[in-house]
């Protein structure tokens, strides 16, 4: 929380002069490690450098192992308070996940040689898989941590394949051997079966107690090759993360694949083609520590007057101005996969929420923000996220760090339509459009096909739940791609899911039918053709614009029924009967009837508490004014909120 | 009189079950507060008195007499003034009733609630159906034409037929006034907890509507005038005291938790106030003893708030809000000017819930049953 707290406090001070923070950096520069001598990094040649990551399923002990490594190498002092040192955000510590990758350089003497070990932390969830892959591309090896009790889980598999595809050395580590139910032998066999790593290569450790952790460091030096690069080459730096500092602008985390960099160098971004002058370079220990230079093979940070995080996009390559190099492969801009509407609970909070969103997105360029407004919910935004967890984490950070409570609508996914109408193609200037808002959904006769995003999901579960899980997946229109016993009683399933089938409650359903034992992870798997339709919701025959949804034909009836039932529960009875219908085109596919009030009058009303009664009536009169009228039907804001959040009970 | 022998399972009124009541002290305080507030109001003549509670029939006739004497002394109580006492069948033997009559009571409202023993047990009442019947007969002997009974409907598990049977029995027993209340499951009561906990069923909305319609039809056929949402009378036996609430007349509340609406002319004010007396009896008594009255809150009602109350209360009656009553509160802007213009009221008239004519503004037969759905619309229009 130190990071966020500092940012907020500085912001408050900065608001009045209305000066961009980076302009102030010259006169009020701040270093997190003031007064320290600048390090000379030239004493660490490429041969004595190891760049590695730790990858693991949630809660398998990645951050605890990182804490121990930091302690052993003297990077941080050894105290009881070292709990998830690299996880700086409250949400990270609470959820046991890493949202924002942090890195640390460790100094370690092994058999008389001083080594520079760069631990490059990765975000701990596949929503951030692109960021993970960029972090991994700065490494030559990974420590794969698996819980000795839980064994291989869905995220272990996903992470392993990311490392495997990047051709990195993998050091398997079995953690939590101190636990009573630990069964490291079983886990070693799983690793052998699934990843083809001999059982004797696994290191059994307890990160909590420090058991065998030193051995891990030795293996890192022995098994992971030094980076293949040369100081004599021109500068080639990979941006693998970036943060925003209100005084100094963007702080970019970089890995040098060639050359060297120092203050005063003129550099250029391969992606934006913008030019900068380097103000500061340094390493992370894990706080920023300035150095004279950074050399090929090393990992650190640089500050070069970049004003927005979008200028230091993850995966971008930096090089010396007038000495262009071939950019590192694999760069792509963050692509939102899940969209949700966000509205202030109270419209008077709009401006506060707006500034909170602006501040939060300063540090997270992967969130896309578009202004939106709803007749029922007022002015708000349509936000795009990398995935579900990303969305939840973002929302939680808004609440925790900015004290904002918001209405977040149920997430939707970006559909596509391949246009067949020449007129529309001309209008859009392309023959394939992305549809985020149901209002943009083109009619069937104008398109040759609709497309929906898919993901490849990995599920690891004790075998007794297979039947139920297969049924759940089929219900979600998923297609089985693989099924493998990883030991006598654990199964790994792979399914191709339409993304929209997992965005609302899939994970909860999976957890509840497996008593919490099944784990799930997924990765982007592109688009597939889908029989999509637009469904309208009608109240007494009048469409409710903000409740229109895009659904798959197979799911239209079930979704329509659900929405109608939810509305029936949330609209108060009125003086006339209300037909709540779901319609596709002119065809009604579901209907609920809300009966008229036949009796609604308080029984006793004498001289007693008329004041309280008047207050209640006036509150009702007041809320009537705020209700949205669909034809003659009055719909309270709460009804929209419940339906848009897909709350059912 | 805020005390009861036992709390009923459906009741959330301001009542207290205590082992012993210092009746002399309570009496002295009631008398003192009545005097003080009457003086403050400078009312010249009292048209009606209502002893409610609690269980006022647990008080002794002496206490009732003392209060009535104080009222007569402070403001004048004409011989014809209606004096009602709320009574429970379990505390109304003939001798007691005669005592109340001698003290000045001339109308009795008996909390019969049901004429079925199982239902009475469910409601946590102390009496049986037979006892209720005896109490009503005794009361009718002493207060002929001026005995009212209360009945509850919509009890958990009660069927429409069972309710119709209770009504038939009540019609055989009753005098010329009857109040029928739909049971309200008030928060914090034992009955509401049982319904929420699932041990008792929640009566369905449509059944409640049917029960209400059944009762209205049956009573009107038996010659009763349905003069207020829950009140029926024949031979002109309307409760003039309760009518004064619905006509938004002035009233003074005396005793713990009592509410009043009057202009404190004794202070030189000419603005109507909403007043509430201190809720808890011991604290109330302390205040009366130290300052003459236990008024806990007083709020001046704006002209808009006054007509809002008039509308909310008046529309509960069959006469509705008359032009005359409206004019009393709003001499400038007539009923016609407010609700005759296009708007909510006109729409509600077109839909058949409301009537505005030479008699005033009132609900139709169908509209009365859904009045609480009409009021927010009317208040919106009024506020404009």
């Amino acid at each position: 929380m130190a990071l966020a707290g500092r940012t907020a406090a500085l912001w408050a001070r900065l608001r009045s002069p209305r000066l961009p923070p980076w302009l102030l950096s010259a006169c009020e520069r701040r270093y997190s490690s003031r007064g320290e001598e600048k390090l000379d990094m030239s004493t660490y040649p490429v041969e004595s450098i190891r760049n590695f990551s730790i990858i693991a399923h949630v809660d398998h002990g990645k951050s605890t192992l990182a804490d121990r490594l930091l302690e052993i190498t003297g990077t941080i002092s050894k105290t009881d308070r070292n709990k998830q040192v690299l996880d700086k955000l409250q949400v990270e510590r609470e959820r046991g996940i890493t949202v924002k990758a942090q890195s640390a350089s460790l100094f370690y003497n092994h058999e008389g040689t001083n080594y520079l070990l760069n631990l490059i932390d990765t975000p701990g969830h596949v929503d951030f898989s692109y960021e993970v892959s960029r972090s991994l591309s700065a490494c030559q090896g990974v420590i794969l941590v698996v819980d000795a009790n839980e064994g291989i889980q869905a995220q272990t598999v996903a992470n392993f394949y990311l490392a495997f595809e990047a051709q990195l050395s993998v050091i398997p580590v079995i953690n939590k051997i101190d636990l009573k139910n630990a069964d490291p032998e079983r886990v070693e066999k799983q690793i052998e079966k699934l990843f083809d790593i001999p059982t004797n290569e696994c290191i059994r450790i307890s990160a909590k107690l420090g058991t065998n952790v030193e051995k891990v460091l030795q293996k890192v030096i022995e098994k992971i090759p030094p980076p293949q690069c040369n100081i004599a080459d021109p500068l080639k730096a990979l941006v693998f993360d970036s943060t925003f500092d209100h005084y100094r602008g963007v702080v970019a985390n970089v890995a040098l694949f060639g050359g060297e960099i120092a203050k005063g160098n003129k550099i250029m971004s391969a992606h934006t083609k913008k030019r900068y002058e380097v103000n500061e370079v340094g390493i992370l220990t894990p706080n920023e520590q300035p150095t004279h230079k950074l050399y090929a093979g090393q990992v650190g940070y640089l500050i070069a007057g970049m004003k927005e995080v979008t200028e230091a996009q993850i995966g971008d390559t930096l090089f010396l101005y007038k000495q262009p190099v071939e950019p590192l492969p694999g760069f792509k801009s963050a692509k939102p996969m899940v969209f949700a509407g966000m509205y202030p609970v109270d419209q008077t909070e709009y401006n506060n929420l707006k500034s909170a969103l602006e501040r939060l997105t300063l540090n997270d360029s992967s969130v896309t923000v578009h202004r939106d407004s709803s007749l029922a919910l007022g002015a708000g935004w349509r936000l795009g996220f990398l995935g579900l967890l990303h969305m939840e984490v973002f929302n939680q950070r808004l609440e925790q760090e900015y004290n904002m409570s918001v209405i977040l609508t149920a997430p939707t996914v970006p559909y596509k339509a391949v246009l067949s109408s020449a007129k529309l193609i001309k209008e859009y200037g392309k023959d394939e459009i992305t549809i985020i808002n149901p209002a943009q959904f083109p009619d069937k006769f104008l398109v040759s096909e609709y497309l929906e995003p898919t993901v490849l999901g990995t599920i690891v579960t004790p075998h007794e739940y297979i039947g139920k899980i297969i049924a759940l997946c089929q219900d979600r229109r998923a297609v089985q791609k693989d099924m493998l016993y990883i030991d006598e009683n654990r199964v790994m399933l792979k399914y191709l899911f339409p993304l929209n089938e997992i965005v609302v409650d899939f994970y909860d359903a999976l957890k509840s039918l497996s008593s919490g034992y099944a784990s799930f992870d997924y990765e982007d798997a592109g688009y597939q053709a889908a029989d999509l339709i637009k469904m309208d919701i009608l109240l007494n025959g009048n469409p409710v614009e903000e409740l229109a949804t895009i659904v798959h034909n197979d799911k239209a009836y079930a979704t329509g029924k659900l929405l109608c039932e939810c509305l029936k529960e949330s609209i108060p009875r009125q003086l006339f009967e209300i037909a709540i219908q779901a319609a596709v085109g002119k065809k009604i596919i579901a209907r609920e009837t809300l009966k008229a009030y036949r009796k609604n009058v308080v029984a006793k009303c004498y001289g007693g508490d008329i004041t309280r009664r008047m207050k209640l009536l006036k509150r009702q009169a007041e809320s009537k004014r705020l209700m949205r009228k669909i034809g003659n039907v009055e719909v309270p804001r709460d009804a929209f909120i419940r339906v848009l959040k897909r709350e059912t009970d | 009189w805020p005390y009861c022998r036992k709390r009923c399972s459906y009741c959330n009124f301001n009542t207290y079950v205590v082992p012993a009541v210092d009746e002399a002290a309570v009496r002295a305080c009631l008398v003192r507060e009545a005097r003080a507030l009457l003086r403050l109001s400078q009312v010249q003549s009292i048209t009606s008195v209502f002893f409610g509670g609690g269980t006022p029939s647990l008080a002794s006739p002496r206490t009732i007499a003392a209060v009535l004497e104080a009222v007569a002394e402070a403001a004048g109580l004409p011989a014809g003034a209606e004096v009602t006492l709320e009574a429970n069948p379990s505390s109304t033997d003939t001798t007691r009733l005669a005592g109340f009559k001698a003290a000045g009571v001339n109308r009795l409202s008996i909390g019969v609630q049901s004429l079925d023993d199982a239902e009475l047990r469910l409601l946590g009442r102390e009496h049986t159906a037979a006892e209720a019947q005896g109490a009503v007969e005794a009361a009718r002997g002493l207060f002929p034409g001026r005995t009212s009974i209360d009945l509850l409907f919509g009890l958990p598990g009660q069927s429409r037929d069972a309710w119709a049977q209770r009504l038939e029995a009540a019609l055989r027993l009753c005098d010329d006034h009857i109040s029928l209340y739909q049971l309200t499951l008030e928060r914090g009561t034992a009955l509401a907890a049982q319904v929420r906990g699932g041990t008792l069923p929640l009566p369905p909305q449509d059944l409640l509507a049917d029960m209400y319609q059944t009762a209205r039809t049956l009573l009107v056929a038996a010659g009763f005038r349905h003069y207020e949402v829950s009140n029926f009378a024949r031979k002109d036996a309307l409760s003039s005291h309760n009518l004064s609430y619905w006509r938004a007349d002035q009233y003074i509340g005396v005793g713990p938790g009592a509410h009043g609406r009057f202009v404190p002319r004794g202070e030189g004010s000419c603005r109507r106030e909403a007043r509430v007396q201190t809720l808890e009896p011991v604290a109330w008594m302390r205040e009366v003893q130290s300052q003459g009255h236990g008024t806990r809150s007083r709020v001046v009602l704006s002209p808009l708030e006054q007509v809002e109350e008039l509308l909310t209360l008046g529309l509960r009656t069959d006469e509705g809000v008359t032009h005359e009553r409206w004019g009393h509160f709003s001499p400038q802007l007539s009923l016609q000017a407010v609700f005759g213009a296009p708007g909510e009221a006109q729409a509600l008239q077109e839909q058949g819930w409301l009537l505005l004519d030479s008699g005033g503004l009132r609900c139709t037969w169908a509209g009365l049953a859904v009045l609480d759905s009409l009021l927010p619309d009317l208040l919106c229009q009024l506020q404009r």
Side-chain angles (χ1 to χ4, degrees), chain A residues 38 42 71 81 134 139 322 396 451 470 482 556 558 591 643:
Chain A
K38 277 192 183 178
S42 64
E71 281 174 12
R81 276 167 305 169
R134 290 306 87 196
C139 300
K322 288 186 175 164
Q396 198 177 337
L451 303 171
I470 289 178
D482 195 6
R591 175 187 171 125
V643 175

Side-chain angles (χ1 to χ4, degrees), chain A residues 573-576 595-614 617-618 620-622 624-625 634, chain B residues 181-182 205-206 209-210 212 229-231 242 245-246 251 259 261 308 312-313 316 353 369-374 376-377 379-380 383:
Chain A
R573 279 195 183 201
Q574 290 168 31
L575 289 169
F576 41 82
K595 286 206 224 160
Y597 253 134
R598 287 179 52 216
K599 180 169 191 295
N600 179 31
V601 60
V602 73
K604 286 195 180 188
C605 188
Y606 296 100
D609 204 350
I610 297 173
T611 308
R612 197 185 305 171
R613 173 122 195 86
M614 293 311 302
L617 286 169
K618 280 194 235 174
Q620 287 173 354
E622 188 57 37
K624 249 180 191 290
R625 266 198 288 266
E634 285 168 336
Chain B
Y181 300 115
Q182 179 184 313
Q205 290 264 351
D206 283 333
D210 284 344
Y212 188 59
V229 171
S230 302
N231 285 279
N242 289 340
Y245 293 134
W246 302 318
Y251 54 93
H259 288 247
R261 291 280 187 284
E308 282 172 347
T312 301
L313 293 161
R316 294 180 66 85
W353 308 111
V370 292
L371 174 60
D372 290 357
S373 294
L374 312 181
D377 276 340
L379 292 177
C380 277
Q383 280 161 13

Side-chain angles (χ1 to χ4, degrees), chain A residues 171-243:
Chain A
I171 300 174
V173 162
I174 297 172
N175 189 22
K176 305 196 191 182
I177 55 166
D178 55 308
L179 289 187
K180 207 173 69 192
N181 295 322
D183 188 354
E185 251 162 75
R186 183 175 66 99
V187 179
E188 282 167 1
K189 280 185 195 142
Q190 289 178 353
I191 290 175
E192 181 169 40
K193 172 145 191 190
L194 216 51
F195 305 145
D196 211 12
I197 299 175
T199 50
N200 61 8
E201 286 191 23
C202 294
I203 313 174
R204 298 181 183 185
I205 69 160
S206 162
K208 195 174 128 200
L209 305 178
T211 320
N212 284 341
V213 173
E214 193 98 33
K215 220 182 212 170
V216 176
L217 276 180
Q218 290 157 11
K219 274 272 195 242
V220 165
I221 291 166
E222 289 161 13
K223 264 191 79 178
I224 298 176
Q228 298 283 322
C229 52
N230 201 329
I231 295 176
D233 288 346
L235 172 69
K236 189 185 220 180
L238 168 74
V239 177
F240 64 89
D241 194 13
S242 63
T243 51

Side-chain angles (χ1 to χ4, degrees), chain A residues 172-475:
Chain A
V173 162
I174 297 172
N175 189 22
K176 305 196 191 182
I177 55 166
D178 55 308
L179 289 187
K180 207 173 69 192
N181 295 322
D183 188 354
E185 251 162 75
R186 183 175 66 99
V187 179
E188 282 167 1
K189 280 185 195 142
Q190 289 178 353
I191 290 175
E192 181 169 40
K193 172 145 191 190
L194 216 51
F195 305 145
D196 211 12
I197 299 175
T199 50
N200 61 8
E201 286 191 23
C202 294
I203 313 174
R204 298 181 183 185
I205 69 160
S206 162
K208 195 174 128 200
L209 305 178
T211 320
N212 284 341
V213 173
E214 193 98 33
K215 220 182 212 170
V216 176
L217 276 180
Q218 290 157 11
K219 274 272 195 242
V220 165
I221 291 166
E222 289 161 13
K223 264 191 79 178
I224 298 176
Q228 298 283 322
C229 52
N230 201 329
I231 295 176
D233 288 346
L235 172 69
K236 189 185 220 180
L238 168 74
V239 177
F240 64 89
D241 194 13
S242 63
T243 51
F244 185 80
D245 181 295
H246 276 278
Y247 282 102
R248 299 179 293 171
V250 174
V251 180
N253 290 7
V254 291
L256 266 62
F257 282 70
E260 55 178 58
I261 191 165
K263 182 177 174 177
N265 286 162
K266 305 260 192 317
I267 56 166
M268 191 170 189
S269 146
H271 174 59
T272 65
K273 304 280 185 278
K274 282 190 185 167
R275 275 171 61 182
Y276 304 94
E277 183 176 325
V278 177
N279 295 328
E280 181 180 326
V281 295
I283 57 168
L284 297 155
T285 63
N287 295 322
E288 290 155 20
Q289 183 165 357
T291 60
H292 293 290
K293 282 184 177 181
L294 285 176
Y295 299 92
Q298 296 179 354
V299 171
Y301 70 92
L302 72 84
I303 297 169
M306 296 174 179
K307 293 163 194 172
E308 289 175 24
V309 271
T310 47
E311 292 176 69
Q313 287 205 36
I314 295 172
D316 197 0
T317 304
L318 303 175
F319 52 82
L320 288 176
Y321 179 58
K322 288 186 175 164
Q323 276 181 270
V325 295
E326 182 73 16
L328 291 151
F331 175 81
K332 54 185 177 182
S333 291
K335 184 179 66 178
M337 291 299 284
V338 172
F339 289 85
M342 181 175 274
Y343 300 88
V345 173
D346 183 339
Q347 276 295 317
T348 58
E349 286 284 293
Y350 179 86
N351 282 321
N352 291 339
L353 181 55
K354 184 170 171 236
S355 75
L357 274 177
E358 281 166 0
R359 279 178 275 160
L360 202 46
T361 48
L362 272 180
N363 247 326
D364 189 349
S365 62
S366 54
V367 179
T368 62
V369 181
H370 295 285
R371 284 184 59 183
D372 198 1
S373 75
S374 145
L375 290 167
L377 304 180
W381 300 267
R382 188 131 204 104
L383 304 183
F385 301 98
L386 299 175
L388 276 181
L389 183 90
H390 186 209
M391 176 177 96
E392 280 177 36
V393 163
F394 188 85
N395 192 24
Q396 198 177 337
R397 288 186 67 186
L398 263 184
E399 284 177 6
Q400 287 178 346
E401 294 168 32
Y402 296 94
N403 198 21
M404 282 285 144
S405 86
V406 298
I407 298 165
L408 197 62
T409 65
T412 59
V413 302
Y415 293 107
K416 285 181 177 178
V418 182
L419 302 172
S420 61
S421 144
K423 187 169 162 274
L424 272 189
I425 294 171
K426 201 174 164 197
E427 196 180 311
Y428 284 104
K430 54 191 173 185
D431 61 359
E432 189 178 288
I433 58 165
T434 301
I435 310 154
I436 293 166
N437 184 335
Q440 309 159 327
F441 193 75
D443 270 331
K444 198 166 188 166
F445 66 90
L446 299 172
V447 302
S448 56
E449 66 177 349
Y450 298 110
L451 303 171
E452 65 178 345
T454 62
V455 292
L456 184 64
T458 303
I459 299 168
V460 174
T461 175
H463 63 90
E464 60 261 41
Y465 304 112
I466 291 182
K468 284 187 197 166
I469 291 176
I470 289 178
L472 173 70
C473 292
Q474 279 169 351
D475 180 54

Side-chain angles (χ1 to χ4, degrees), chain B residues 77-324:
Chain B
L77 187 65
E82 179 187 288
V83 179
T84 310
L85 178 84
E86 261 187 348
N88 261 1
S90 47
S91 52
T92 44
D93 56 77
T94 314
T95 340
R96 270 187 92 73
L97 289 181
F100 289 128
K101 188 173 179 180
V105 170
N106 58 23
R107 186 172 177 273
L108 219 58
S109 170
I110 303 183
V112 171
Q113 312 311 2
S114 171
L115 289 166
D116 175 85
D117 287 345
E119 288 182 2
L120 287 167
R121 277 195 298 278
L122 178 70
L123 295 169
R125 302 292 291 179
E126 280 192 303
H127 60 87
T128 62
E131 281 164 342
Q133 200 156 345
V136 174
E137 278 159 9
R140 289 186 67 180
L142 283 164
F143 305 96
R146 296 182 74 100
T147 298
S148 173
I149 62 170
D150 285 3
L151 282 183
L152 286 173
F153 70 92
L155 277 53
Q158 190 180 45
S159 70
R160 198 175 117 169
D161 285 349
W163 169 234
Q165 281 172 25
R166 304 291 168 268
L167 271 175
E168 299 281 358
L171 276 174
R172 286 192 294 275
L173 177 67
C174 74
D175 199 10
D176 296 328
H177 192 280
I178 191 163
S179 303
L180 306 176
Y181 300 115
Q182 179 184 313
L183 176 72
T184 312
L185 292 166
E186 300 286 358
R187 270 176 65 179
T189 62
L191 207 60
Q194 282 173 284
V195 169
R196 209 180 29 223
T199 44
L200 287 174
L202 183 71
Q205 290 264 351
D206 283 333
L207 175 63
L208 295 172
D210 284 344
M211 286 178 161
Y212 188 59
Q213 295 308 332
T214 304
R216 293 173 87 178
T217 314
L218 211 67
L219 281 163
V220 169
F224 282 83
R225 173 177 157 195
H226 185 190
Y227 76 101
E228 193 263 352
V229 171
S230 302
N231 285 279
F232 300 81
R234 64 184 166 196
K235 299 179 196 158
D236 222 18
L238 285 65
S239 163
S240 63
H241 184 87
N242 289 340
L243 266 179
S244 67
Y245 293 134
W246 302 318
R247 286 175 178 161
D249 284 336
Q250 292 199 83
Y251 54 93
I252 295 169
V254 176
H259 288 247
R261 291 280 187 284
F262 64 91
V263 182
R265 294 196 190 277
E267 289 181 349
S269 165
C270 55
R271 296 190 296 178
R272 187 177 165 105
E273 289 184 5
R275 292 173 157 254
V276 189
Q277 307 310 107
T278 293
L279 220 54
E280 203 280 316
V282 175
W284 169 78
M285 280 201 273
R286 213 182 302 124
E287 286 166 35
V288 176
Q289 281 156 1
S290 67
Q291 55 188 8
H293 62 85
T295 304
R296 177 51 63 100
S297 83
R298 38 182 298 190
V299 178
V300 174
L301 294 170
S302 70
L304 176 63
E305 286 170 317
Q306 292 180 34
V307 286
E308 282 172 347
E309 288 195 1
L310 173 66
L311 194 69
T312 301
L313 293 161
L315 287 177
R316 294 180 66 85
T317 64
D318 63 347
E319 66 179 15
V321 179
T322 62
H323 294 291
E324 187 239 322

